[in-house]
Amino acid sequence: MHSSTKPKGLISLISLNNSTLYSGLIPAHLAGDASLNSISIDIRSLANRAGIHFIQAKIENIDLSSKCISLKSRSDIHFDLISLNVGAISDFQQFQYAIPIKPLEAALKALNRQDNLQNRDLIPFHVAGAGLAAVEVCFALRRRWPLRPLILHCAGRVLERSMATALMAADIEINAQQAPDHINTLLCTGSVAPGWLRACGISCDQQGRVLTTRTLQSIDHPWLFAVGDCGCIQQEPRPASGVYAVRAAVPLANNLKRVLDGKRPRPWTPQRKALQLLGAPNLIGSDRAWAVYANTVVGPSRWLWKWKSHLDWRFMREFNAITKPAEPMASRNKRSTVMACRGCAAKLGPNPLQQALDLAGLASLADEPADAQTIGKSPDNRTILSSIDGFPALISDPWLNGRLTALHACSDLWASGADVNGALAVLTLPACSKPIQIHLMSQTLAGICSALEEQNASLLGGHTMESRQPSQEPYGLDLQVSLSVIGRSRPNQHVWGKGPIHPEDELLLSRSLGTGILFAAAMQGRCQGRWMDAALKQLAQSQHHRLQELQEINDATASKIHACTDVTGFGLLGHLNEMIHASPRIQVELNANQIPLMEGVQTLLEEGIASTAAPSNREAWRSLGTTVFLKEEENMENHRSHQTTQELLIDPQTCGPLLVSCNSLAAEKLTLNNWISIGKAKSIDA
């Protein structure tokens, strides 16, 4: 839908993944002719470009009476109008162990595991189904596994003659019996809608698809629309197929807008017949395809193959073009502006921060920076600590953004050795309608509470403000959250500071680096969906259990944690320099190739991607060769160039790892818990 026609109000897109696979090119991927990234459509970027909130979550139920969506492991979402296009799953009622082709992501992972089977080419692989999808998958798998026995089980159905001939020519056996039920069988036997749709009480057909009128509205819930493989027009039923689903996009968008504008939706009739193209890659390069229209089959033809490839890749190019961010407007001096990074990359750089503190007469706050400040002692001799943190929204999903902000703020207390007990929140809401503000606030608070409650902590209160700056959609990106967190150390426990580091201490990280680079790449449309999925999964995991590991190890007589900090906006090198500054006559040798990276970060580093906070963080490079020395082993498999390593060291982190300095005995125990040793401290006098 064009942005000028988008209805007013808060629109959210809920999806289990932040990218979706173009089904037309799945056979090309199975054959090894197309990478997974090349056939993926970036849903998150599409949503951001359209001013829509993107929520990555699994839908478990829809309460029809209260108009409420239940999501797995997070708070519910209320709605006024809902449109369902949740796809379909394979119909595998008679099978228990075979691989369903849908959902596609799970099927592709299972087939990747097949690649690594011992004696793979001696083990027959079976495909169940007699439709065009099953035939096309067989041809793709033959290209993938040239020597492996392949068997297509038609279960008594008759294949079109030319396709049967081509299958046999490709050494693919055609078997009339039902396929065996084991892990070497792929099911392409038709699909059904997810079972939770019928369980909600929505009227569905025999395949579990939502029955709709010709306006695409549920026959008994006019505020619920359904299209694609999960919807079926009661008066005009069509097979669950992409060739029909794509045509529903425009009438669906128009009717959604009409209903929101208080107008009557318009009926739509899908075409009765559709053209389908089926490709058959050949081992010797003579690729062909068939065209199927109603009961007419044309092919196989090399020309049809070229036509199919042209249409498929043109479709992907058009999607890739609209997922790229708009070019920034050039300023008067002809230099392009750059979109500033969000999250912890939005903090003030170290130099201007130092200057401001100096002018305010608060230079001592920068001379001995602490992760958290001591504010007193409890009767049982626990040290009470407090800290504050926050940033502009990192993502448009208010629940997840609230959770990430809370976890990020808690890390200051964890780095001091303190358990979090409570927090106060300050929310600056965008200037938008009251219902939208209520939604954003409720979801944000629920996300904050999800991070606190698993630590047995509570949200104690807070304050709200409304922005006086114009807000743009998605409004979730104009939300700003800050938290003041309070916690306590264990009884009689010494609070950890940034130093002093002891000579011969080992330095360890609790998890991987790279968030600044990944989110900078995402703003440029250059971050693969699976990279962002993996990054957000790490960021959303609380590290309070890491604190417990440190506390338990520190309780041991000979194991000692000498210093600790969290790696955030100043990057690994900036925060390491703070530790060295608090440790007289200490220098550190870093094993550059041991520093763990999130998936995709090295590729993006080599492409020159960097956060907008990186330039101010580069001041930290002055310590290289004086107090920090890089050990770079060129013979290692994951070797990084010196420039790549330097840029990684100053990348700002949101919900970053804990950085610990401890003796060798503590380090030995921590590495058994998957902490990563990245370097060692030495005395300058040694």
Side-chain angles (χ1 to χ4, degrees):
M1 189 183 299
H2 193 275
S3 60
S4 63
T5 66
K6 188 171 72 66
K8 294 181 180 179
L10 189 145
I11 302 176
S12 298
L13 173 62
I14 304 174
S15 173
L16 183 59
N17 301 301
N18 66 20
S19 61
T20 188
L21 301 175
Y22 171 44
S23 59
L25 283 168
I26 288 295
H29 175 67
L30 290 178
D33 297 333
S35 68
L36 197 62
N37 184 52
S38 69
I39 65 170
S40 297
I41 298 170
D42 189 340
I43 305 174
R44 187 186 298 275
S45 292
L46 281 175
N48 286 338
R49 289 295 308 276
I52 291 172
H53 294 78
F54 179 80
I55 298 172
Q56 188 171 354
K58 181 180 180 180
I59 299 176
E60 294 191 323
N61 182 50
I62 298 176
D63 189 324
L64 301 177
S65 60
S66 62
K67 292 187 178 179
C68 180
I69 305 172
S70 296
L71 304 177
K72 183 177 181 180
S73 302
R74 56 176 291 163
S75 61
D76 297 344
I77 292 189
H78 295 270
F79 62 88
D80 297 311
L81 194 69
I82 186 170
S83 176
L84 299 175
N85 186 10
V86 295
I89 58 176
S90 296
D91 186 1
F92 53 92
Q93 294 181 1
Q94 302 176 22
F95 294 87
Q96 183 177 359
Y97 302 105
I99 305 166
I101 189 66
K102 293 183 178 181
L104 288 170
E105 291 79 6
L108 295 180
K109 290 180 180 178
L111 290 173
N112 288 339
R113 290 193 292 270
Q114 288 280 326
D115 289 336
N116 300 319
L117 288 180
Q118 189 175 8
N119 299 321
R120 182 197 64 200
D121 290 341
L122 301 178
I123 304 171
F125 190 81
H126 307 263
V127 177
L132 299 183
V135 173
E136 192 167 27
V137 163
C138 280
F139 283 120
L141 292 177
R142 172 50 71 220
R143 173 103 96 188
R144 184 187 188 111
W145 300 320
L147 302 177
R148 187 172 186 178
L150 294 178
I151 305 168
L152 175 61
H153 294 263
C154 299
R157 293 180 59 185
V158 178
L159 295 175
E160 195 275 332
R161 181 179 300 177
S162 64
M163 294 181 190
T165 300
L167 285 167
M168 290 186 288
D171 196 24
I172 298 170
E173 179 185 338
I174 301 173
N175 190 308
Q177 304 300 314
Q178 181 171 298
D181 183 18
H182 54 56
I183 61 172
N184 300 316
T185 295
L186 181 66
L187 302 179
C188 300
T189 50
S191 63
V192 294
W196 62 263
L197 287 173
R198 190 190 299 277
C200 293
I202 307 172
S203 295
C204 300
D205 67 4
Q206 291 184 345
Q207 284 75 44
R209 299 193 294 167
V210 177
L211 287 171
T212 71
T213 65
R214 290 175 56 216
T215 60
L216 304 177
Q217 294 167 286
S218 164
I219 61 174
D220 45 14
H221 300 287
W223 40 261
L224 187 151
F225 288 72
V227 293
D229 291 353
C230 75
C232 178
I233 301 176
Q234 190 174 38
Q235 306 100 313
E236 300 283 349
R238 299 289 186 271
S241 171
V243 294
Y244 295 103
V246 293
R247 299 290 182 90
V250 173
L252 172 67
N254 290 336
N255 278 349
L256 286 170
K257 186 174 188 302
R258 290 184 67 84
V259 170
L260 289 170
D261 290 342
K263 300 176 182 178
R264 294 184 62 181
R266 292 173 176 168
W268 172 70
T269 302
Q271 75 274 27
R272 294 189 177 277
K273 301 176 182 178
L275 176 67
Q276 294 176 283
L277 298 174
L278 181 151
N282 191 288
L283 288 176
I284 60 174
S286 182
D287 302 324
R288 290 177 168 81
W290 286 266
V292 181
Y293 185 77
N295 295 321
T296 302
V297 178
V298 177
S301 161
R302 294 181 183 177
W303 180 84
L304 285 173
W305 172 271
K306 292 180 180 179
W307 186 37
K308 171 178 166 53
S309 296
H310 167 74
L311 293 176
D312 284 337
W313 289 111
R314 185 183 69 178
F315 181 83
M316 284 304 305
R317 285 195 299 271
E318 290 174 349
F319 259 110
N320 288 335
I322 61 177
T323 56
K324 300 293 182 184
E327 290 294 327
M329 296 181 63
S331 60
R332 292 182 180 179
N333 63 2
K334 303 300 181 181
R335 293 181 180 177
S336 296
T337 59
V338 178
M339 290 185 292
C341 291
R342 296 175 172 270
C344 204
K347 72 191 299 181
L348 198 63
N351 275 351
L353 176 61
Q354 178 71 62
Q355 292 175 36
L357 291 172
D358 288 345
L359 291 172
L362 298 171
S364 60
L365 294 180
D367 290 338
E368 296 182 7
D371 288 302
Q373 295 295 331
T374 298
I375 58 175
K377 288 277 189 178
S378 65
D380 58 350
N381 203 30
R382 296 173 184 260
T383 304
I384 304 172
L385 298 104
S386 180
S387 183
I388 187 168
D389 215 326
F391 41 71
L394 186 64
I395 51 178
S396 63
D397 177 356
W399 183 91
L400 184 54
N401 188 70
R403 178 174 174 83
L404 297 183
T405 309
L407 293 175
H408 184 87
C410 289
S411 67
D412 283 335
L413 263 62
W414 299 332
S416 301
D419 297 300
V420 177
N421 299 129
L424 297 167
V426 177
L427 273 62
T428 302
L429 298 163
C432 54
S433 70
K434 296 306 177 190
I436 293 177
Q437 288 181 333
I438 291 170
H439 170 82
L440 293 175
M441 182 175 174
S442 64
Q443 288 291 310
T444 301
L445 293 176
I448 292 171
C449 289
S450 76
L452 295 174
E453 288 168 358
E454 63 187 56
Q455 305 177 64
N456 295 318
S458 303
L459 183 62
L460 304 174
H463 183 69
T464 60
M465 293 182 287
E466 182 183 73
S467 173
R468 288 296 176 258
Q469 302 298 320
S471 295
Q472 296 181 340
E473 297 180 292
Y475 294 118
L477 284 178
D478 277 348
L479 185 70
Q480 298 191 39
V481 183
S482 298
L483 284 101
S484 174
V485 290
I486 188 168
R488 297 179 300 173
S489 68
R490 288 188 172 187
N492 303 308
Q493 177 187 296
H494 175 69
V495 173
W496 303 327
K498 294 179 185 287
I501 299 172
H502 291 200
E504 303 305 315
D505 269 6
E506 290 194 42
L507 295 169
L508 294 93
L509 281 178
S510 61
R511 60 190 190 186
S512 303
L513 300 174
T515 57
I517 293 159
L518 286 170
F519 280 97
M523 293 174 68
Q524 301 176 39
R526 297 169 67 178
C527 181
Q528 295 184 22
R530 61 189 176 91
W531 297 346
M532 185 57 65
D533 272 347
L536 286 173
K537 183 177 180 181
Q538 173 178 298
L539 267 60
Q541 291 176 344
S542 176
Q543 294 191 90
H544 70 280
H545 66 284
R546 291 302 207 183
L547 167 63
Q548 293 166 2
E549 292 169 357
L550 295 178
Q551 290 171 332
E552 291 169 5
I553 285 175
N554 202 51
D555 287 343
T557 303
S559 301
K560 289 299 173 187
I561 308 298
H562 294 138
C564 185
T565 190
D566 58 336
V567 180
T568 52
F570 297 151
L572 174 61
L573 186 58
H575 291 286
L576 176 59
N577 283 341
E578 291 178 337
M579 298 177 77
I580 294 173
H581 181 72
S583 309
R585 307 199 64 76
I586 284 290
Q587 60 188 18
V588 168
E589 182 181 72
L590 289 179
N591 295 320
N593 296 99
Q594 297 298 329
I595 299 172
L597 303 186
M598 292 179 177
E599 185 180 5
V601 170
Q602 182 155 338
T603 299
L604 295 171
L605 278 168
E606 292 168 353
E607 293 176 0
I609 301 293
S611 165
T612 53
S616 61
N617 284 355
R618 289 184 183 124
E619 285 292 322
W621 285 350
R622 293 183 178 181
S623 65
L624 296 177
T626 56
T627 56
V628 180
F629 299 86
L630 294 180
K631 180 181 178 183
E632 299 169 287
E633 299 180 29
E634 296 187 8
N635 60 342
M636 293 189 66
E637 185 177 341
N638 61 340
H639 171 69
R640 302 157 194 156
S641 69
H642 185 70
Q643 182 63 32
T644 294
T645 299
Q646 285 189 313
E647 292 294 340
L648 170 66
L649 291 176
I650 49 89
D651 184 49
Q653 305 300 298
T654 302
C655 297
L658 298 176
L659 174 61
V660 172
S661 176
C662 59
N663 66 16
S664 59
L665 185 58
E668 183 180 353
K669 294 178 180 179
L670 287 173
T671 53
L672 294 176
N673 289 327
N674 296 318
W675 287 71
I676 303 101
S677 178
I678 62 166
K680 197 163 187 176
K682 296 184 181 297
S683 170
I684 292 177
D685 301 322

